[in-house]
Amino acid sequence: ILRVNYYLGIFSRLVEILSWRFFKNQDKEILVLGDLPLNTSAKQYVLCHQSLMFQKFPFFSNRFFKFTLFRILFKSFIKSEDVVLVQTKQMAENITKTFGPELKIRILDISSEHFSWPDFSRQERKVSDGSSKNLTLIYPAAPYKHKNHLLLNKISHINIAEVILTLNKKDFPTE
């Protein structure tokens, strides 16, 4: 597990999103438990749960610029083979309505009783240590109670090669 500190908040995250292609291996699929896809050629599964990204804000507000930038980054770095994970039908509708039909991506509702996590080991890629783990999990989150920390328990069975967190283990809630 690699723990990353975001000393500059959103700016650190922005640098990570923009520069991923230049600093990280592109051969593993990526599960991003954050709202924004990364600048990468690897297949991504992006958990989109920030409903503020789809709201309208007054033009001269900080939120207007922040969430306009989020929408631009989302549309710029999501690819047709990527999968967007949502936790509500409303979020799926927001994505479809905001980005329109020209964004040809799969949207999966992980709260659906029919949902099961993809088998990330299907593509059997060998990594440097010779194993066939082929998923990088990225979890950019602050230690706030309203974050999706418990989602990590639901995916603990997945064969993950690399985990990148912005939290310490003590920050994870137990229930």
Side-chain angles (χ1 to χ4, degrees):
I1 293 178
L2 173 63
R3 186 176 184 289
V4 178
N5 290 315
Y6 287 152
Y7 295 110
L8 301 175
I10 190 171
F11 296 108
S12 294
R13 178 78 172 117
L14 183 60
V15 168
E16 176 185 64
I17 290 166
L18 295 173
S19 63
W20 191 265
R21 173 182 299 272
F22 307 107
F23 297 107
K24 283 295 190 177
N25 192 342
Q26 304 288 309
D27 66 346
K28 289 183 249 172
E29 293 182 345
I30 303 170
L31 174 58
V32 183
L33 298 183
D35 298 295
L36 299 174
L38 303 171
N39 178 14
T40 179
S41 60
K43 181 174 182 174
Q44 300 179 80
Y45 295 81
V46 180
L47 177 65
C48 188
H49 55 91
Q50 177 59 266
S51 61
L52 293 175
M53 190 161 64
F54 304 103
Q55 292 183 11
K56 296 189 186 300
F57 293 100
F59 181 75
F60 288 108
S61 69
N62 286 340
R63 285 186 167 188
F64 173 83
F65 294 108
K66 176 182 177 180
F67 292 110
T68 298
L69 177 61
F70 278 19
R71 288 189 295 274
I72 290 168
L73 292 173
F74 188 94
K75 193 166 185 175
S76 297
F77 296 132
I78 202 78
K79 302 174 300 303
S80 60
E81 68 270 13
D82 293 340
V83 177
V84 177
L85 305 170
V86 297
Q87 293 174 311
T88 65
K89 287 182 182 18
Q90 181 64 47
M91 185 58 78
E93 290 170 10
N94 285 342
I95 292 168
T96 302
K97 183 171 63 173
T98 302
F99 298 112
E102 76 274 1
L103 194 63
K104 294 176 176 26
I105 53 169
R106 278 185 31 210
I107 300 174
L108 298 177
D109 183 351
I110 65 173
S111 67
S112 166
E113 60 192 44
H114 304 292
F115 176 80
S116 62
W117 286 97
D119 179 6
F120 294 105
S121 63
R122 282 186 310 228
Q123 287 80 23
E124 285 304 322
R125 293 189 195 114
K126 298 291 182 191
V127 292
S128 58
D129 67 359
S131 71
S132 62
K133 297 176 180 177
N134 64 349
L135 177 72
T136 296
L137 168 69
I138 301 170
Y139 186 47
Y144 304 127
K145 290 188 185 282
H146 69 276
K147 295 292 185 177
N148 268 324
H149 306 314
L150 295 178
L151 186 60
L152 293 173
N153 294 335
K154 293 181 181 178
I155 61 171
S156 61
H157 68 284
I158 296 175
N159 196 17
I160 298 174
E162 178 181 27
V163 179
I164 300 172
L165 301 173
T166 59
L167 291 173
N168 287 315
K169 190 169 177 90
K170 68 176 180 57
D171 295 325
F172 284 22
T174 54
E175 315 183 343

